[in-house]
Amino acid sequence: VVLLPLVILVRRPIVQHALCALFALYALEWVRTTLVLVGSRMDAGRPWMTAAVILLACAAFSALAAALMYSASFRRWFSRADA
C-alpha cells in the first residue's frame, strides 16, 4: 500500500485502467462508509451533517481522480511506453 503511488510510473495503458478502477472503488467505499456512519449517528440522535459532508467530499475527490485518469495529459502519459 505504501508503494502504490509509485505504480503511476509504470507507463502502460493497463495501469491507467487499473488506477481508474481503484479510484472508482475508493469513491464507492467512501459513499458506503458515509451511509453507514451517518445512519448510525442518526439512530443515536447525534449530529451527522458534518461527517456526511466530509466523507462525501472524500468520495467526490476519489471520483475526480478516477475521471482524471482519462484526461488528455494522462492518456499521453500512459501511451508513451518508451520512457
Side-chain angles (χ1 to χ4, degrees), residues 24-38 55-56 58-60 63:
L25 185 64
Y26 287 162
L28 291 174
E29 178 58 26
W30 281 117
V31 171
R32 187 197 69 80
T33 301
T34 302
L35 294 174
V36 170
L37 185 72
V38 167
L55 291 170
L56 289 175
C58 292

Side-chain angles (χ1 to χ4, degrees), residues 22-79:
L22 188 63
F23 289 139
L25 185 64
Y26 287 162
L28 291 174
E29 178 58 26
W30 281 117
V31 171
R32 187 197 69 80
T33 301
T34 302
L35 294 174
V36 170
L37 185 72
V38 167
S40 68
R41 291 182 72 86
M42 289 176 83
D43 289 344
R46 298 178 64 201
W48 56 269
M49 184 65 72
T50 304
V53 168
I54 291 169
L55 291 170
L56 289 175
C58 292
F61 185 80
S62 296
L64 178 64
L68 286 177
M69 292 309 294
Y70 290 112
S71 68
S73 59
F74 273 109
R75 275 185 273 140
R76 279 193 307 273
W77 171 263
F78 286 111
S79 67

